[in-house]
């Protein structure tokens, strides 16, 4: 199985005709802890389902049916309820899992349209294996794209985690940033190679240390920051981990 859409399908139930999506959590106000918007006040909408299975994933409860009860973890939730759960005119980060698994559903359009109608700035966090369709590109201001390196391990179903070529067009329009998890300076070099090979603007490339504790992050931070500085790309810490550890809802 290349994705867990079958697992998500089991969650579908009668919702009175209201558009709904599998939602793990909606939370805020908090801060965006990573990438080009790090430090900004934000609200998060975390959707269920992912087509990858990173060994260090910090939200396996959104996709791993072997370890978690997905009916409980990512219940089908009316889009109106999700939209009402965030503050108007805020930065809203839609993440997962892999949120773009849902972009061809009417509920996805309803979610993005409803958030924009409330004056929200919409940011999508994605693994880069699914290119946004025209509807998504028209509604989302910023994409943060996180292709997975070898440090993420093998993925179920032999899914290829490589960045899809269609993303470069989005990046060149100024609406997409790479944000890649690294464990070493060698990983940073690999990210630079991806950017140069694809033509991704280096000013829109970010690397960050892997880890879910301050000790892990800080242990890798200097090497990664040094390598990023030498390569002329950006480095980002994980500020939410420093503030709240790996607690859900932050």
């Amino acid at each position: 199985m290349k994705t867990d859409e079958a697992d998500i399908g089991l969650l579908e139930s009668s919702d009175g005709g209201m558009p709904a999506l599998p939602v793990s959590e909606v939370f805020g106000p908090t801060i965006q802890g990573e990438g080009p918007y790090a430090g900004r006040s934000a609200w998060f909408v975390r959707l269920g389902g992912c087509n990858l299975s990173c060994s260090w994933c910090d939200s396996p409860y959104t996709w791993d049916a072997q370890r978690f009860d997905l009916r409980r973890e990512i219940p089908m939730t009316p889009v109106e309820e999700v939209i009402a759960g965030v503050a108007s005119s805020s930065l809203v980060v839609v993440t997962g899992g892999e949120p773009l698994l849902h972009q061809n559903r009417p509920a996805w359009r309803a979610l993005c349209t409803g958030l924009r109608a409330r004056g929200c700035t919409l940011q999508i966090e994605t693994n880069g294996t699914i290119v946004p369709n025209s509807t998504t590109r028209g509604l989302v201001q910023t994409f943060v794209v996180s292709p997975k390196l070898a440090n993420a391990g093998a993925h179920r179903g032999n899914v290829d985690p490589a960045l899809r070529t269609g993303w470069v067009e989005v990046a060149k329009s100024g609406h997409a940033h790479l944000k890649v998890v690294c464990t070493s300076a060698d990983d940073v070099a690999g990210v630079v190679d991806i950017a140069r090979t694809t033509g991704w603007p280096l000013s829109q490339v970010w690397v960050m240390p892997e880890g879910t504790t301050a000790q892990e992050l800080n242990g890798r931070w200097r090497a990664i920051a040094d390598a990023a500085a030498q390569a002329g790309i950006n480095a980002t810490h994980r500020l939410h981990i420093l503030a709240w550890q790996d607690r859900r809802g932050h």
Side-chain angles (χ1 to χ4, degrees), residues 91-175:
L91 169 64
V92 177
V93 182
V94 181
T95 186
E98 174 45 59
L100 292 185
L101 285 172
H102 308 289
Q103 71 171 340
N104 293 319
R105 298 182 176 198
W108 173 264
R109 184 185 185 98
L111 174 66
C112 295
T113 300
L115 290 171
R116 290 295 304 273
R118 294 194 67 193
C120 296
T121 298
L122 191 54
Q123 180 181 110
I124 302 297
E125 295 186 336
T126 172
N127 62 31
T129 62
I130 301 171
V131 177
N133 60 26
S134 59
T135 295
T136 301
R137 287 192 63 175
L139 291 168
V140 175
Q141 287 105 322
T142 305
F143 296 92
V144 177
V145 187
S146 299
K148 309 310 176 189
L149 304 181
N151 63 49
H155 299 279
R156 57 189 173 156
N158 297 315
V159 175
D160 180 4
L163 179 71
R164 300 305 188 259
T165 56
W167 277 107
V168 178
E169 178 189 349
V170 186
K172 289 182 176 179
S173 73
H175 297 295

Side-chain angles (χ1 to χ4, degrees), residues 34 45 52-53 55 63-64 67 88 106 110 129 132 173 177 180 189 203 212 216 223 228 241:
E34 308 165 349
V45 175
L52 300 183
S53 51
S55 61
W63 57 267
D64 191 346
R67 290 188 287 164
S88 60
T129 62
S173 73
H177 295 257
V180 186
S203 62
T212 55
E216 289 176 321
I241 299 294

Side-chain angles (χ1 to χ4, degrees), residues 149-247:
L149 304 181
N151 63 49
H155 299 279
R156 57 189 173 156
N158 297 315
V159 175
D160 180 4
L163 179 71
R164 300 305 188 259
T165 56
W167 277 107
V168 178
E169 178 189 349
V170 186
K172 289 182 176 179
S173 73
H175 297 295
H177 295 257
L178 282 186
K179 184 194 72 177
V180 186
V181 173
C182 296
T183 59
S184 66
D186 286 343
D187 282 352
V188 175
V191 175
V192 173
D193 184 61
I194 291 171
R196 287 178 173 161
T197 299
T198 61
W200 197 289
L202 291 182
S203 62
Q204 293 162 224
V205 177
W206 301 75
V207 290
M208 70 178 187
E210 188 274 322
T212 55
T213 68
Q215 182 177 8
E216 289 176 321
L217 294 172
N218 289 332
R220 294 182 169 121
W221 176 236
R222 181 170 180 174
I224 289 169
D226 280 344
Q230 291 299 315
I233 61 173
N234 307 295
T236 173
H237 215 298
R238 304 189 74 202
L239 302 181
H240 55 297
I241 299 294
L242 299 183
W244 299 292
Q245 294 78 53
D246 193 27
R247 291 171 54 194

